[in-house]
Amino acid sequence: MAMKASACSAAALLAAESTGASAFAIGSQPNKASGVQHSLRGAAAQDSAASTASSSWASATAVAATAAVAATTIPRRQRRAASKLTGATSATTPSLVPKVNKPRLSQAKVIVCAGLGEKLDGRKLRVAVIGGGPAGASAAETLAIGGCETYLIERKMDNCKPCGGAIPLCMVGEFDLPQELIDRRVRKMTMISPTNKEVQIGSTLADDEYIGMVRREVLDSYMRDRAGEKGATLINGLFMGMTLPQNKTDSYVLTYNDFDDKNGSKGVKKTLEVDVVIGADGANSRVAKEIEAGDYEYAIAFQERMRIDDKKMEYYKERAEMYVGEDVSPDFYAWVFPKYDHVAVGTGTVVDKKGIQKYQQGIRDRAEPRISGGEIIRVEAHPIPEHPRPWRTKDRATLVGDAAGYVTKCSGEGIYFAAKSGRMCAEEIVKASENGTRMITQDDLMVYIRNFDSKYGPTYFVLDALQKLFYTSDP
């Protein structure tokens, strides 16, 4: 109970302190050509210096940490001198920095502002979306509906990403997903402690509420096909790289291997010229490498799909299980999630990637009474990002979904945020290009970055703290 109370207190405190703040670095690389510096902490690339919504939580954290260190290392005599310079009395807390050096509202300058790009004569804005998961498919659909010439390149059209496959109820309605895509409607969630004590945490759901369980190969295929129906050109191809534009009107030249059924297993090398590139190609994003978006910490997720007998499957009809403990993961949780005719049994870790097989055996052993005799029908492993990349936009290329690093800690949920980021990015492109009739700029893409950070930043910040609290303690 003490642990739970601490978690709630931490969540409330963090949520209060982070309201209106961005959870991530601003995400744009320095633009050397124009001389406008978009710093990693985003201090200079905002709508207005007076807008608190545009500041980065990382920057705020760094400032707080610096102040704390300074308070313990600066001699008291110097702190008193600083206090006198600011006019502070003994009854007030002295400032470590004289007020004359602090930025003032009157000094605020707008560094970045989006504007109308050049009119495109006789053609539409050409956008390539690399990656056909929820992020890429959502972006491609929105772009096609919005009047852009859209290409969606995906190598694995039967993609089976190792993913628990849990989606929030809001995603079903918001993205107009048909009910038949939902394999199971989980209304019972069991959290199992290191000593196998069970806590039922699904009792707060209303009768019409549930957590949807999907198979990624089914969900992704549906969303890609729908994008194609709306006008996007679907390409079964492997993105290999791209030539970057040298000015604001040059095209990106993409190189990819086309795996059309007629081409055999090797594929045919082809090129494609576009105006904008959206990287939705996952944690190992090649687009991110091309635009030098930087690296991030990642977890390894390992999952086995098991077919168990009907009696055991009945237990998981509306139930999912989450296991915690050093035997299943030192810093995350392990899971047993129900699918259509089988269960997904898996785990993940950041701090001990080489030990993932040991932790997978741990979840097998812990769940053995309920999955014994199960037949393993598929084994999957994949990296999962732990934090947004240092930069997410450069010129007319940007990142969404796992490529950008939009996976929540604590829960590990990323499907909804991937789809949402893809849609938000595409909506901004459609808006800035006036339905595909104008060229866009990096500043236009930065609007998407700021909007996403402002909307979801506090959520990521709180869940990051809760993961440290829950999964690194065994009381």
Side-chain angles (χ1 to χ4, degrees):
M1 291 298 293
M3 181 179 180
K4 183 176 181 180
S6 298
C8 293
S9 299
L13 177 62
L14 291 170
E17 291 184 346
S18 60
T19 299
S22 166
F24 315 127
I26 285 303
S28 169
Q29 288 200 347
N31 186 338
K32 296 179 181 179
S34 66
V36 177
Q37 297 297 314
H38 301 283
S39 73
L40 176 60
R41 298 304 178 193
Q46 303 303 308
D47 292 327
S48 169
S51 173
T52 58
S54 65
S55 63
S56 165
W57 72 265
S59 179
T61 303
V63 170
T66 302
V69 172
T72 59
T73 58
I74 295 177
R76 183 178 299 177
R77 186 175 300 172
Q78 293 182 25
R79 295 204 300 271
R80 287 176 178 172
S83 175
K84 291 179 179 179
L85 284 173
T86 62
T89 66
S90 58
T92 62
T93 302
S95 170
L96 299 180
V97 182
K99 287 183 179 179
V100 293
N101 291 333
K102 291 183 179 181
R104 299 177 179 178
L105 185 60
S106 60
Q107 298 171 325
K109 296 180 180 179
V110 176
I111 304 299
V112 174
C113 56
L116 292 178
E118 294 184 10
K119 189 76 174 178
L120 298 172
D121 294 326
R123 67 176 181 88
K124 290 286 190 175
L125 185 75
R126 303 163 300 177
V127 185
V129 182
I130 313 301
S138 295
E141 178 184 10
T142 304
L143 289 165
I145 293 174
C148 297
E149 184 178 322
T150 307
Y151 301 89
L152 176 60
I153 302 177
E154 168 60 50
R155 172 65 184 98
K156 298 179 179 179
M157 291 295 185
D158 59 347
N159 179 41
C160 294
K161 180 182 176 182
C163 172
I167 62 174
L169 179 60
C170 64
M171 182 174 178
V172 178
E174 188 173 343
F175 287 87
D176 196 22
L177 301 178
Q179 291 295 317
E180 54 266 29
L181 288 185
I182 313 300
D183 286 339
R184 301 281 176 173
R185 292 163 177 78
V186 170
R187 295 181 172 88
K188 303 173 183 177
M189 180 69 76
T190 303
M191 178 74 78
I192 303 171
S193 77
T195 57
N196 285 327
K197 292 181 180 179
E198 298 185 3
V199 178
Q200 307 304 323
I201 58 176
S203 58
T204 57
L205 294 176
D207 292 340
D208 60 344
E209 294 179 331
Y210 60 85
I211 300 171
M213 292 293 171
V214 299
R215 287 165 289 168
R216 284 294 301 273
E217 62 270 27
V218 176
L219 174 68
D220 295 8
S221 178
Y222 172 82
M223 297 183 74
R224 278 195 302 269
D225 290 344
R226 188 168 67 181
E229 292 170 1
K230 299 299 183 181
T233 299
L234 306 185
I235 299 175
N236 182 12
L238 176 63
F239 172 74
M240 301 301 294
M242 62 186 182
T243 301
L244 304 180
Q246 299 303 306
N247 57 54
K248 64 181 182 179
T249 59
D250 274 0
S251 300
Y252 289 86
V253 181
L254 278 56
T255 302
Y256 67 97
N257 288 340
D258 191 331
F259 288 92
D260 184 296
D261 291 340
K262 301 176 182 178
N263 297 330
S265 60
K266 293 184 179 180
V268 175
K269 184 177 180 180
K270 293 185 178 181
T271 60
L272 176 67
E273 291 191 18
V274 296
D275 305 303
V276 182
V277 177
I278 298 176
D281 46 342
N284 291 323
S285 171
R286 292 189 177 185
V287 174
K289 291 181 176 64
E290 291 287 338
I291 66 173
E292 299 178 341
D295 295 323
Y296 49 25
E297 184 60 272
Y298 65 93
I300 288 293
F302 190 96
Q303 178 174 275
E304 295 170 320
R305 299 198 193 190
M306 294 185 182
R307 185 168 286 122
I308 57 180
D309 64 48
D310 293 343
K311 185 177 181 180
K312 289 184 172 68
M313 198 68 206
E314 182 64 22
Y315 172 79
Y316 289 107
K317 182 178 180 180
E318 293 185 340
R319 183 187 304 276
E321 293 180 325
M322 298 170 63
Y323 292 77
V324 294
E326 292 287 343
D327 57 332
V328 298
S329 177
D331 57 339
F332 202 56
Y333 67 88
W335 62 86
V336 180
F337 287 171
K339 303 297 181 182
Y340 175 68
D341 59 356
H342 61 278
V343 292
V345 182
T347 186
T349 178
V350 176
V351 301
D352 187 14
K353 300 178 181 68
K354 293 183 179 179
I356 191 67
Q357 291 283 359
K358 174 180 66 176
Y359 302 124
Q360 183 65 17
Q361 183 60 52
I363 179 57
R364 286 196 214 107
D365 294 342
R366 292 274 296 278
E368 196 273 339
R370 290 166 181 159
I371 63 172
S372 61
E375 174 193 3
I376 297 176
I377 59 177
R378 185 187 292 273
V379 178
E380 305 160 331
H382 200 272
I384 304 295
E386 281 288 293
H387 191 277
R389 291 186 188 273
W391 297 278
R392 287 165 281 159
T393 295
K394 181 180 180 181
D395 297 329
R396 285 173 275 125
T398 193
L399 304 174
V400 296
D402 280 15
Y406 298 149
V407 175
T408 60
K409 289 191 175 183
C410 190
S411 68
E413 205 284 308
I415 299 176
Y416 172 75
F417 294 104
K420 190 67 176 179
S421 66
R423 175 178 284 182
M424 290 178 70
C425 176
E427 287 174 342
E428 190 54 46
I429 291 173
V430 169
K431 178 181 177 182
S433 69
E434 295 187 341
N435 296 99
T437 62
R438 291 182 178 276
M439 183 63 72
I440 69 164
T441 68
Q442 174 177 289
D443 295 342
D444 296 319
L445 294 176
M446 284 298 297
V447 175
Y448 138 66
I449 295 290
R450 290 196 297 275
N451 288 345
F452 187 89
D453 289 357
S454 178
K455 187 176 182 67
Y456 297 112
T459 298
Y460 280 76
F461 184 52
V462 170
L463 291 178
D464 186 3
L466 290 183
Q467 175 166 328
K468 293 181 176 67
L469 177 64
F470 277 119
Y471 303 140
T472 58
S473 177
D474 282 340

